[in-house]
Each structure stands twice: as C-alpha cells, then as structure tokens.
Amino acid sequence: MLKSIGLLVIGALSLLAQDSGVSAERIREHTRFLASDLLEGRGPGQRGGELAAEYIATQLALAGAKPAGENGTYYQKVPLVGIETQPDATLGGAVGGKGVDFRWGDDFVGVSQTQRPDTRFEGEAVFVGHGITAPEFKWDDFKGVDVTGKVLVLFTNEPASTDPKFFDGRALTYYGRWVYKYEEALRRGAKGCIIIHTTETASYGWDVVRNSWGREAPFVKLEPGAKALALQGWITREAGERFLALAGKNLDELLKASDRADFKPIPLGIQVRGHLPSKIRELETRNVAAVIPGSDPKLKDEYIIYSAHWDHLGIGTPVGGDAIYNGAIDNATGCAILLELARVWGSLGQKPKRSVLFLSVTAEEGGLRGSEYYAAHPLAPLAKTAVNLNYDALFPWGRAANVVITGAERTNIYPLALQIAKRLDLGIAVDAQPEAGHYFRSDHFMFAHAGVPAFSIGQATEFLGKPAGYGEQVYQEYNGKHYHQPSDEFRAEWDFTALRQAAEYGLLLGKDIANQDKLPDWRPGDAFHR
Ligand SMILES: [Zn+2]
C-alpha cells in the first residue's frame, strides 16, 4: 500500500515534470553553439553577432514562430552611433577674469549627445541638487525655475532615506540613477549636465567613471531635429570643489543642502565652456523578433514579450591569450531559454489567448540600446503589451531552490508570480542589495521605463543538494573571474536543470498572463505606471 502510494506520488511528479515539455538538454545545446568561438563573442555590427542573430531567427522559424520584424522579416534594424570623445576635449568655467580648466580623464569625462564630430558650447551654470522631480515623494529640486539653455551641475543619487514611503527607503529608485539626471536635464531644455562625482553619492570610485566613459560607447542614432545635450559629463570631487569655489560655494555644504526638501536651484554665476571633439562611427545591428499568434480573436492583438539580449563583447583585448569574449552565461543562456520557450509554445495544441512575441535584442552591453530602440519603435503597441519577461545571464549550476524576480512586486502580477513559484517548488530570492539598483540594469527596464510591466527572471541564488552559501560562492566566483571576461565560456560539466526551471517558470507565468482577463498593471503610484 505504502509502496503504491509512493509510486503514485512519483508518477504524479514525473507527469508534472513532463508537462512543460521544456528540455534542459536543448537549452544546453543552444548555449553551447551561441557561446562557441565560431561566433566570435557576438559583437553587434560584427560577423559573429550577425551569425548569432541569424541562428536565433532560424530557430524561431523552426519553432513555428512567424516573422514579426520589419517588411515581413525576423529583424528590426537598430541604427547605432559609436561615439568616442577624444582626449583633447576641454571643459572649464569662469567668473569674470578668474577661471578653472579641467583635464580630460583626470578631472572630467563625458560625451556629447549631439553625435557630431565637433561640439562647442557655452552656458551659465546652475546647481540643482540631485536634479530630481518626483511628485509621488513630494520632491522637486527645480521649484519651477526655468533652466532652458543652462548647464546643470548636480550630484547623482537621491535624498537619503530609510522610510519605505520616501524614495523607497534604502533601495535606489530610478531618480537616483545618473541616467535619469541626463534625461531630466534634456526634458528641461538644459544645454548640458555635469555630475560632480563623490564616492558616496556614486557608490563607486572615479576610476569606474573614468573607465566606462573614456572609450567608445554606442547610442541610438538621433532622429532628425531631436534635442540633445551638448555635454553629459562627470567631474571629480576635487574638480567640483575648485569649480564651486569660483562661486564662493563649498561642496560639503551643497551636499547637505541637496538633502533638504526646501532646496532651490542656485545660479552659480559661472560661465561654462566646453569643446568635445569626437570620433563618430555609424553601425547597424538588429533585434530579432518572432510571433506566435494567440487563439482569442480579440485578445490576440495583445502581447506577452519574452526577451533576451544576443549580443556580447565580441573580440577584444586578449586575456591569457584568449581574445574572444564568448559570453556563455552572459547571455547565450538567456537566448537558449528564449528559443526553448518558443519551441514549447509553438508545440502547444491549444494556444493561449494573447499572442507572444519572442524578442532577442542587440547592444545590451553598450547600455540597453537594442531594447531602448525597441521601446521607441515597438513592433507591437506598448499599450497592448501585457508584460515583458526578460532573461539575462543564468547560472547552470544544478537544481535551483529559488528564482529572482526583482521588480515583479511593483506590478499586480506579483500574487500570480508567487503562486507559480510555489507550484514549481521554488522560493523567491530577495534582492540583497536594493541600493545597487539592479532593476535598472537589464533590458526589461526599457519596457518598464515605457510603462510596460516588466522584470527579469533571474538566476537562482540557492541550489538544492549543495552546501549552504554555495550560491553566493559560485556567484562571487563568476563575478570576480569570468564576468565580461573571455573566460565566460561554455563548460561541458554544466548542469542546466536551473535553466530548465527558469524557463518553466516563465512559461507558466507567461501562459497565465496570456489567458487572464485584464492586462497586467503596475501597483498604484509606482514610478513606471503608464
Ligand atoms: Zn553583460
């Protein structure tokens, strides 16, 4: 009797496992191919990247997904411009006869959004605190002051908080990100925007700023007539001190002033002058898009989007004699899951009600450019996009005990997301560093930014049958030794069970969202509410 109950239970379990049809083996094989040396690190605008895009389109076609790109193809062209500010760039400020001049790299870095080979600008400096307008937190650093044509000077980050109702407590909100500062400056018609770096406000040292801004970076090509900042830049704390001294101001006092709700913009009376000679290179790359139509005559006009970026760093500086940045984990794994999801969805006898778009975006590594372009030129209307579920860098280290879905709690899908985790016997991993703002650093974010409920289904932080702390240990090892290195390579001993689980999780969640009555939404008051 006992024995037969046991068999029944095992029978039921294996039925559940077979149910989804997701194959760890197929995820492994896609990963192996996409990460092979033949694909040369999948650089956008490079041969290996083109091959990856072709492979993904072909696999989507074989899965039965229809072309969803431009002109009946599987592709959406993404025009990018690579910009490298030249080291003879200059930046300085003057009051009357007194002035300061900054040296490229040592004192300042930055880029002109004009995408022109030579940009000169001049404007009056206004200090604007953190440069934030956040009505939901009753915060406005601008207080109605017109900053059109001015050069904004500010600190990154946001007012300090431990109150969850005020700038989400300890967590970094989007208002605290440097990207937001430049966006807000542009919205307000400023000429330029300069962030004064401090290690505390940035949460990293000047060397990080210098390294990431001192080389070519890709941008989505400006539309004709679009507004652009003449400079989006950073200066060091020491340069900031010299700069503010011209106006008789002190950096520490301004830092303090920036944390007060009654802060008002401070015209500094400093004339800023800059010259940004830049190397400009146009490059064309592609997002891959395919659709499996829904079964409901009305709801099929609405879409679930699964996404995963196909690009990685291409061929670069050799490390230990290896110049191919294979990007096996980052992000051949996510693409492999995307392809397997398409195959399983394609094989469903009864298709879910809403349609599903499989989107493999380009140029994530260059700053989420493929997804930025998609959000500005959506292939399915954003207002009819139910959700974006993204996969970026998953760890093939055994059977997952949990799943990371940071950001899901901002949406009304969350109860469903919890329920499905329970069904699959997965815990929900909590974000151990909310102040790091991980939510803003992968492709789903560009959907959120455009108002679409979106999050990534991330790598497990705990694995079953492994000693306590194993997840953290292997994560640290990956991050320290292999992240964005040529050694992020496919390994035969990898166990893809966790990736199968992450795919199953996304499949069940996507199916349920595709079948539910209403489109998902953000929680009321969320910053990304559409
Ligand atoms: Zn990466």
Side-chain angles (χ1 to χ4, degrees), residues 260-305:
R260 295 176 54 114
D262 61 359
F263 173 85
K264 278 201 213 62
I266 304 171
L268 295 172
I270 303 172
Q271 194 70 12
V272 180
R273 191 174 293 171
H275 178 214
L276 297 152
S278 312
K279 227 188 249 169
I280 306 285
R281 182 172 71 100
E282 295 204 9
L283 61 128
E284 199 172 88
T285 176
R286 301 183 290 179
N287 290 332
V288 184
V291 69
I292 296 181
S295 57
D296 184 274
K298 259 168 86 183
L299 293 182
K300 75 175 181 1
D301 292 338
E302 298 176 347
Y303 293 81
I304 311 297
I305 299 184

Side-chain angles (χ1 to χ4, degrees), residues 309 312 330 364-365 483-484:
H309 76 86
H312 195 56
D330 182 12
E364 186 271 353
E365 305 289 7
Y483 172 72
H484 284 197

Side-chain angles (χ1 to χ4, degrees), residues 141-168:
D141 284 325
F142 292 90
K143 304 283 191 304
V145 173
D146 182 7
V147 293
T148 310
K150 310 285 189 205
V151 175
L152 306 189
V153 178
L154 49 82
F155 295 112
T156 191
N157 219 311
E158 60 199 17
S161 170
T162 48
D163 173 3
K165 293 214 171 75
F166 184 64
F167 286 95
D168 296 358

Side-chain angles (χ1 to χ4, degrees), residues 127 129-130 153 155 196 244 249-260 263 266 268:
F127 177 73
H130 290 294
V153 178
F155 295 112
I196 301 176
L244 295 171
K249 302 286 180 199
N250 169 285
L251 188 142
D252 286 309
E253 278 168 26
L254 290 189
L255 262 177
K256 252 183 243 149
S258 306
D259 271 354
R260 295 176 54 114
F263 173 85
I266 304 171
L268 295 172

Side-chain angles (χ1 to χ4, degrees), residues 82-275:
I83 307 178
E84 187 183 346
T85 308
Q86 297 301 290
D88 54 337
T90 60
L91 180 68
V95 177
K98 269 198 319 186
V100 291
D101 286 306
F102 301 132
R103 276 167 313 158
W104 172 257
D106 295 333
D107 300 324
F108 84 102
V109 292
V111 66
S112 176
Q113 295 180 347
T114 61
Q115 306 189 350
R116 288 201 296 260
D118 199 77
T119 300
R120 287 176 194 274
F121 72 96
E122 218 179 307
E124 236 175 85
V126 181
F127 177 73
V128 295
H130 290 294
I132 293 173
T133 306
E136 68 272 42
F137 303 127
K138 299 194 171 53
W139 191 274
D140 179 16
D141 284 325
F142 292 90
K143 304 283 191 304
V145 173
D146 182 7
V147 293
T148 310
K150 310 285 189 205
V151 175
L152 306 189
V153 178
L154 49 82
F155 295 112
T156 191
N157 219 311
E158 60 199 17
S161 170
T162 48
D163 173 3
K165 293 214 171 75
F166 184 64
F167 286 95
D168 296 358
R170 199 162 70 85
L172 184 72
T173 71
Y174 186 57
Y175 297 113
R177 294 272 295 156
W178 56 264
V179 196
Y180 166 83
K181 315 295 177 187
Y182 299 141
E183 286 176 1
E184 186 64 16
L186 187 63
R187 271 193 290 271
R188 289 179 173 271
K191 188 166 282 177
C193 181
I194 298 170
I195 298 171
I196 301 176
H197 172 265
T198 77
T199 301
E200 305 76 64
T201 50
S203 82
Y204 39 77
W206 177 254
D207 53 324
V208 173
V209 179
R210 183 185 178 141
N211 288 341
S212 44
W213 289 76
R215 52 186 165 84
E216 187 194 73
F219 292 82
V220 171
K221 193 176 176 182
L222 268 191
E223 307 270 348
K227 286 197 296 180
L229 294 176
L231 167 68
Q232 57 170 56
W234 291 74
I235 58 178
T236 62
R237 179 184 183 118
E238 187 270 335
E241 269 161 359
R242 282 194 284 141
F243 183 81
L244 295 171
L246 284 177
K249 302 286 180 199
N250 169 285
L251 188 142
D252 286 309
E253 278 168 26
L254 290 189
L255 262 177
K256 252 183 243 149
S258 306
D259 271 354
R260 295 176 54 114
D262 61 359
F263 173 85
K264 278 201 213 62
I266 304 171
L268 295 172
I270 303 172
Q271 194 70 12
V272 180
R273 191 174 293 171
H275 178 214

